[in-house]
Amino acid sequence: MRRLIVILPLVFAVAYLARGVAELSVPVLERHLAHEAAGVAEVLGADWARIEVEGLSVRVSGEAPDAATDALLGLTLARALPLARVETALTHEPEPGPRRDPMLVELFRQRDTVIVAGSFPGPGSRADLLIALGRAFPDLRIADLSGIEAGGEAQAWGAAVAVSVAALGQVGEAFVRLQPGRAAVTGVAVSEADRLRLERALNAVSGPSLQVATALRVPRLPIVPFETVLITDAAGTPSIALCAARSLAEARGVEAAVEAAGGLGEAGP
């Protein structure tokens, strides 16, 4: 009984001392872990990282520049502090997607074909243009060589489609370039008065939100009212040797008449 009485106080004393040592060692351990974690963050250049230590738990938060840096910091801390439980609560900007150039679409007419090239920002804008071309020129072939990889949006697209249709239908040798909010038209006018008329017609359908730039050239040589020269081969097949029509519509009429007779050739205004 006396031995039990003597041993019990010793047990309680040892337990009390052990508890005191543990309580004193926790702050020391936390400071050590915080110091080691801060050293790792400094080596990696992660000055944006916030480190909190509670016992053996090390929590890292902050906004990492990217996912790779986020993963690298967490992995390095786990290896440098094997006795600790490392938790990361990092945020980062999502990885940027591939860079896409703005929309650029080009159209030009080659006899009985309208060629569409370039890149649209999506299938909807391409469909709008192709449908409008098909309705405006039912007798022409629409050759679509375009893609839908462009970035951004097709701004003022309804006006851009209207300008494209008007230019291809009225301007000789028309070439149309479409960019977001802008349309550029080059081609040939038969006279200065015709150039002014075509520019007014294009501006009339452009609307206020689309910028239209025109570069319509007028041939320096005088244009005769009308001249057409046809030649035939040994089999009697006609072809156009020279045609100076008064308008694009008149030139197309000459071509149609020659083709109906089995010939070939391209007329010009």
Side-chain angles (χ1 to χ4, degrees), residues 49-180:
R50 295 188 297 273
I51 299 172
E52 303 173 38
V53 179
E54 184 176 353
L56 291 176
S57 295
V58 178
R59 187 175 187 275
V60 185
S61 60
E63 185 171 344
D66 51 55
T69 304
D70 180 344
L72 177 62
L73 179 59
L75 180 62
T76 306
L77 284 173
R79 290 182 176 177
L81 309 173
L83 298 180
R85 184 174 65 254
V86 178
E87 301 175 1
T88 58
L90 301 174
T91 60
H92 54 81
E93 293 293 329
E95 293 293 334
R99 183 183 180 276
R100 298 196 298 171
D101 293 327
M103 179 195 77
L104 175 60
V105 176
E106 296 175 335
L107 306 95
F108 58 97
R109 181 169 172 174
Q110 216 172 38
R111 296 197 64 191
D112 61 347
T113 302
V114 175
I115 299 175
V116 181
S119 184
F120 293 83
S125 54
R126 178 167 66 176
D128 292 341
L129 180 60
L130 295 179
I131 291 172
L133 292 175
R135 290 174 177 172
F137 309 110
D139 298 329
L140 300 181
R141 185 173 71 91
I142 309 299
D144 179 23
L145 308 178
S146 65
I148 54 173
E149 301 83 14
E153 298 179 356
Q155 301 171 12
W157 190 237
V161 171
V163 168
S164 300
V165 170
L168 294 171
Q170 301 181 50
V171 178
E173 301 179 20
F175 180 87
V176 183
R177 171 171 289 185
L178 303 177
Q179 294 174 284

Side-chain angles (χ1 to χ4, degrees), residues 156 158-160 162-163 183 200-212:
V163 168
R200 286 194 296 268
L202 295 177
N203 288 325
V205 297
S206 65
S209 56
L210 182 71
Q211 298 179 10
V212 179

Side-chain angles (χ1 to χ4, degrees), residues 24 26-36 53:
L24 290 175
V26 168
V28 175
L29 177 62
E30 290 178 345
R31 285 196 297 271
H32 171 73
L33 292 176
H35 176 74
E36 292 297 317
V53 179

